[in-house]
Amino acid sequence: RWGVGDDGVLAIFVSRLAAEKNIPLVAKAFEAIKQRLPDVACVFVGDGPERAKLEKAHPDYIFSGMQQGEDLARHYASGDLFIFPSITETFGNVVTEAMASGLVPVAYDYAAPRRFIKDAENGFLAEYDNEADYLAAVERAVSQLQKWPGIRASARQTAESLGWDGIVKDFA
């Protein structure tokens, strides 16, 4: 479990490590989480032009590189809290993948997160491109740790509804 105890938390970010993914806010979110939860591991899954700079600035974070297939699924499945403050998404596969893995997602209220996350029910939303509100959403998520089992189950249920049966049902 990435070096955390049984009661520890794994905060995870999965995406390309590039400027358009709002990586500095991921680091701020990780720091805020570490202030509240001392037994936490913060993991970046992905690769890209920002990785070397991030590794140098944050040697306490874990950088697992790009993952695919079963390895990617295992990385998601090991997580608890999904940090995703990107402001350049369209559909946002990583959000639905995190939800399918039963993670508690924190994202901006637009694109795929707006469509699939119900604030404080199956994840947490922040006002689009509002850094202070995003960090407040992270704080709300961390302060509701006791509710995570229900939030995680609801996130998983939402993702399960995204198969063809759920899509057809939406049009019925």
Side-chain angles (χ1 to χ4, degrees):
R1 289 254 337 181
W2 303 99
V4 296
D6 289 341
D7 293 328
V9 169
L10 177 69
I12 188 170
F13 171 83
V14 178
S15 191
R16 182 166 149 71
L17 302 184
E20 68 271 9
K21 299 299 181 180
N22 210 2
I23 301 294
L25 187 51
V26 176
K28 287 179 184 178
F30 280 173
E31 289 304 313
I33 295 163
K34 287 173 63 175
Q35 293 298 313
R36 288 288 307 264
L37 303 173
D39 192 15
V40 65
C42 300
V43 178
F44 280 93
V45 178
D47 212 340
E50 298 294 311
R51 182 174 176 174
K53 183 169 61 171
L54 277 168
E55 285 180 315
K56 186 174 181 178
H58 302 284
D60 52 328
Y61 297 161
I62 299 166
F63 294 85
S64 66
M66 188 178 84
Q67 303 295 317
Q68 297 179 4
E70 290 295 321
D71 290 331
L72 177 59
R74 276 192 288 280
H75 278 72
Y76 274 118
S78 70
D80 298 299
L81 182 64
F82 183 67
I83 302 300
F84 196 68
S86 176
I87 55 174
T88 60
E89 292 310 300
T90 51
F91 180 77
N93 284 335
V94 294
V95 172
T96 55
E97 290 169 350
M99 293 175 81
S101 300
L103 277 69
V104 175
V106 182
Y108 278 126
D109 186 10
Y110 90 112
R114 172 180 285 161
R115 174 148 186 205
F116 301 119
I117 297 174
K118 306 283 186 271
D119 193 53
E121 291 179 26
N122 64 359
F124 294 86
L125 292 171
E127 180 183 328
Y128 177 72
D129 202 17
N130 180 329
E131 184 174 302
D133 198 51
Y134 188 86
L135 293 172
V138 168
E139 174 63 29
R140 282 189 299 119
V142 170
S143 72
Q144 296 183 38
L145 192 64
Q146 74 283 0
K147 294 181 181 178
W148 283 13
I151 293 170
R152 293 171 68 135
S154 182
R156 170 84 181 170
Q157 185 177 24
T158 298
E160 287 175 347
S161 75
L162 301 179
W164 283 112
D165 290 341
I167 292 168
V168 170
K169 186 176 155 186
D170 281 348
F171 287 104

